[in-house]
Amino acid sequence: MTAKVLVLHTGGTIGMSGSPEGYRPMAGFGEVLRQTLRGCTGAGMPAFEVIELDSLIDSANLQPANWVTIAEALLMRWEAFDGFVVLHGTDTMAYTASALSFMLRGTDKPVILTGSQIPLVAPRSDAAENLQAAMMLAARPSIREVCICFGRRLLRGNRASKLRSTGFDAFDTPNYPWLAEIGIDVALHPERLLPAAPRAFCAPAFDAQAVAVLHIYPGISARIVDAVLDSPAVRGLILRCYGVGNAPDADAELMAALARAVARGIVVVNTTQCLDGSVAQGAYATGAALDRIGVVAGGNMTLEAAFAKLHVLLASGGTVAELRERFAESLCGELD
Ligand code: ASP
């Protein structure tokens, strides 16, 4: 039986056209998309249905609430389809892929995000190729995870980052091998895919202000930490530390500001500014200081995965101790 795939259009360059202010979501894109897909038949192409969200966005405008809209649109139609393709802007695609991976944990169907660097209706577009590859992969029942299909590669969604602003190979997963390479053949690596797991779906109400991100840089002061944590809405703080998770421990006031945050019940986590490699809090005295304060090591999670995971955990409830423990565990392949 031919597989049936739902294509959910949320916005992004793929469905945009030019305007005096630059690219904007174009009217009538749903019909253009249907015609493009109808024109592409043959082995491996599934049957499809296309739906569009009411409000199509440039994904630079994404808010955590949009993750709920997307997840609910999929969950309402879950049983009627064998797989899902989500068309999304590239700017925040890795954040949404990460969020959906935690919200659709234990998915038994492929959920593939894609988009393009050049609109589908423009010359030299990469859209049709990305879309067709995503459609074919969304029809493969062995893929039980949320992925990004872009630039001839299939990537685990919660391992991906946008690394190139203009390249057709915009996304990569520096800490995990590609799930598939798309050439003349689609070389899917079954041993790299997530195994079947029990469904644990959730679409919680997110507080957009709950998670803040703080990049550590030479000269950062306690006042900056206090300013970021000034809002009582902030319940999670992601530190972007140096190398294996080091911070300027010689600044006692800075360390005290972070210790106050932990004591207030803020879940403070440590991620690395490096694209490749992991946090090993304690390899250096500068990292061990964070360990003593009670900062949670984020392993080799991407910023996008850490951000989405902290949002999902905070919105799902639990004590601070439980949240800290859950954050450090791999929930759906996001860290080693
Ligand atoms: N600004 C666009 C977006 O993220 C970029 C893209 O789709 O490539 O929606």
Side-chain angles (χ1 to χ4, degrees):
M1 220 176 64
T2 318
K4 195 169 173 198
V5 166
L6 177 72
V7 182
L8 171 66
H9 177 45
T10 72
T13 297
I14 191 165
M16 292 189 182
S17 57
S19 83
E21 294 86 38
Y23 285 144
R24 281 184 182 290
M26 69 179 261
F29 178 69
E31 213 25 60
V32 174
L33 187 57
R34 283 182 196 96
Q35 270 171 26
T36 306
L37 287 170
R38 271 185 220 121
C40 174
T41 50
M45 274 305 275
F48 67 89
E49 233 171 78
V50 170
I51 57 168
E52 295 187 276
L53 292 184
D54 292 339
S55 145
L56 301 171
I57 59 166
D58 182 309
S59 80
N61 285 316
L62 182 93
Q63 295 285 328
N66 294 110
W67 298 334
V68 178
T69 310
I70 295 171
E72 283 178 346
L74 302 182
L75 290 173
M76 273 168 63
R77 298 162 179 90
W78 196 259
E79 299 308 332
F81 294 90
D82 301 297
F84 301 88
V85 170
V86 178
L87 304 186
H88 195 288
T90 60
D91 288 343
T92 53
M93 190 184 292
Y95 288 89
T96 296
S98 294
L100 290 178
S101 76
F102 299 115
M103 297 166 80
L104 303 175
R105 201 150 58 86
T107 172
D108 49 339
K109 300 179 182 187
V111 177
I112 317 280
L113 281 81
T114 194
S116 64
Q117 293 280 40
I118 298 180
L120 178 67
V121 295
R124 282 196 321 107
S125 176
D126 51 331
E129 186 179 326
N130 287 344
L131 178 62
Q132 288 160 15
M135 296 288 293
M136 289 183 168
L137 288 159
R140 302 265 189 125
S142 61
I143 302 173
R144 296 185 198 86
E145 54 181 292
V146 177
C147 304
I148 289 180
C149 177
F150 209 97
R152 302 188 176 177
R153 44 185 86 153
L154 182 73
L155 307 169
R156 174 161 300 158
N158 58 30
R159 294 280 190 154
S161 292
K162 183 176 177 182
L163 298 188
R164 292 171 200 92
S165 60
T166 56
F168 284 161
D169 54 349
F171 292 90
D172 210 336
T173 48
N175 282 313
Y176 199 75
W178 301 347
L179 303 180
E181 291 107 46
I182 300 153
I184 289 181
D185 299 312
V186 176
L188 185 65
H189 298 279
E191 73 289 356
R192 297 177 186 166
L193 297 172
L194 283 180
R199 270 192 199 181
F201 292 175
C202 69
F206 292 107
D207 174 355
Q209 309 310 315
V211 180
V213 180
L214 184 66
H215 196 94
I216 300 296
Y217 54 88
I220 188 171
S221 68
R223 287 185 65 180
I224 298 292
V225 176
D226 289 337
V228 169
L229 298 178
D230 190 37
S231 159
V234 175
R235 296 168 55 217
L237 176 67
I238 299 176
L239 298 178
R240 303 289 288 152
C241 291
Y242 305 125
V244 291
N246 304 318
D249 71 324
D251 183 339
E253 280 183 32
L254 178 71
M255 291 296 125
L258 291 172
R260 276 197 302 279
V262 174
R264 243 171 77 186
I266 294 173
V267 181
V268 183
V269 307
N270 187 355
T271 61
T272 173
Q273 294 175 15
C274 299
L275 284 175
D276 193 345
S278 188
V279 165
Q281 225 170 236
Y284 292 83
T286 45
L290 297 177
D291 222 19
R292 277 196 301 279
I293 289 171
V295 172
V296 184
N300 61 1
M301 257 183 279
T302 61
L303 167 65
E304 296 89 335
F307 182 82
K309 187 175 183 179
L310 205 43
H311 257 299
V312 172
L313 290 175
L314 287 167
S316 303
T319 64
V320 170
E322 284 163 352
L323 294 178
R324 292 164 50 90
E325 209 170 293
R326 297 286 280 153
F327 184 83
E329 283 168 23
S330 175
L331 302 182
C332 43
E334 73 278 16
L335 80 155
D336 295 333

